Every structure is written in C-alpha cells, then in structure tokens.
Amino acid sequence: MAVPKSKITKSKRNMRRAHDALSCDAYVEDKTTGELHRPHHIDLKTGMYRGKQVLKVKDRI
C-alpha cells in the first residue's frame, strides 16, 4: 500500500493552495458610452474596440 514518505507541513500545504483563490472578473468603463466591458475585449453593445468601430450593431426593434 502506498504511504507518504513524510508529512507535508502546513507551510508547504498552504503555499500550494495560495494560487487556488478565485479572482473576480475585471471590468472597465468605456470612455465614450460609460458602459462596463472586460478589458481588451470588444464592447458588444456598441461594437467599439479602442475607439474604433469593429462590429456592426443591429438596432433593436
């Protein structure tokens, strides 16, 4: 039967778990419209990216 060679200390265990924490999504405010969108992503409501129109947005009926 497999048995660990030595006990893993609390310090080593916690160092391994240090990267497991969940991070919240980052959002930035658009300069022109004030809408929130993810950084380095296209604003889907306006179709703008870095001040340039990259997508045609359909008008809502």
Side-chain angles (χ1 to χ4, degrees), residues 43-48 53-60:
D43 185 10
L44 294 176
K45 292 184 180 178
T46 60
M48 302 283 286
Q53 188 74 32
V54 293
L55 287 178
K56 291 183 180 177
V57 181
K58 295 181 181 178
D59 293 332
R60 292 185 180 178

Side-chain angles (χ1 to χ4, degrees), residues 23-29 36-41:
S23 61
C24 59
D25 290 335
Y27 288 96
V28 294
E29 186 177 334
L36 292 177
H37 65 91
R38 302 209 36 212
H40 306 285
H41 285 71

